[in-house]
Every structure is written in structure tokens, then in C-alpha cells.
Amino acid sequence: RKCRDKWREWLVLFKSRIDKDCQESSNPNYKEARLEMQKTSNPVVVPRNHILQRAIDRAELGEYSLARRLLEVFENPYETPPEQWLAERDVGDKGACTVT
């Protein structure tokens, strides 16, 4: 419970900081510009070692389809990949990557 309260306090402070920045900015499109900057700085997909290892293991056996699919997703880490790239049947219980 204590941790949740601390997160809530932080979120309130963070939101007030964003609101203040928006009000003080001379850019009328500040919110959109800020969001765009965040989108280009924080990847949507993050490779996980156990998934990459699974692709390596399959590739060593001559099966490259998972490695190719993961490569395609990770070539554009700032874009949300199509759902079929995260299919559990291909990569395990948790999908190919973490989508933030």
C-alpha cells in the first residue's frame, strides 16, 4: 500500500509538471511536440534474452523464420508491431517482446 501511495504522489507531481510546462511554453503545440519526442526516445518493443536465445537455437538447427520475424520487429523499435509478430505460438507464453 505504501508503494502505491508513493507512485500516486509521483504521478500527481509529474502531471503538474507537464501542465506547468505546457502553460509556460511558447509553442502552441507543446503537448504534441512533447509526445512526439517521447515516441522517438522510448522504444515500443524491447528484445528479451530468452526470446533471442530461442531464435538463435532455432537458427542453429536451420530454422530461421523466428529470427527473421524478430529482426523485422526490432528494425523499427519505436513502432507498434502488428499483433501477428507477437504470436505466442511462435515464441512462447509471453510473446516475442515486451510492448510498452
Side-chain angles (χ1 to χ4, degrees):
R1 181 95 184 140
K2 209 175 199 184
C3 186
R4 182 179 288 172
D5 292 338
K6 287 184 179 187
W7 271 110
R8 285 185 180 147
E9 288 174 26
W10 181 84
L11 285 171
V12 168
L13 288 172
F14 184 69
K15 184 180 180 327
S16 67
R17 169 64 190 266
I18 292 173
D19 291 343
K20 181 182 176 200
D21 288 352
C22 288
Q23 290 170 357
E24 293 177 357
S25 176
S26 60
N27 181 351
N29 298 318
Y30 178 79
K31 276 188 175 181
E32 292 81 10
R34 182 183 178 103
L35 182 60
E36 191 58 35
M37 182 177 65
Q38 288 177 344
K39 286 181 178 180
T40 60
S41 302
N42 300 301
V44 174
V45 292
V46 178
R48 298 292 179 211
N49 287 340
H50 67 283
I51 299 300
L52 298 176
Q53 188 60 54
R54 186 173 287 135
I56 292 167
D57 292 345
R58 288 184 183 182
E60 288 176 344
L61 296 172
E63 171 53 54
Y64 299 98
S65 63
L66 179 57
R68 287 185 192 113
R69 290 177 66 168
L70 292 174
L71 178 61
E72 191 171 329
V73 169
F74 298 130
E75 283 178 335
N76 298 299
Y78 300 99
E79 297 175 16
T80 302
E83 285 299 315
Q84 69 265 23
W85 297 119
L86 306 176
E88 292 178 9
R89 63 178 163 51
D90 292 330
V91 293
D93 295 340
K94 296 186 179 179
C97 50
T98 299
V99 178
T100 56

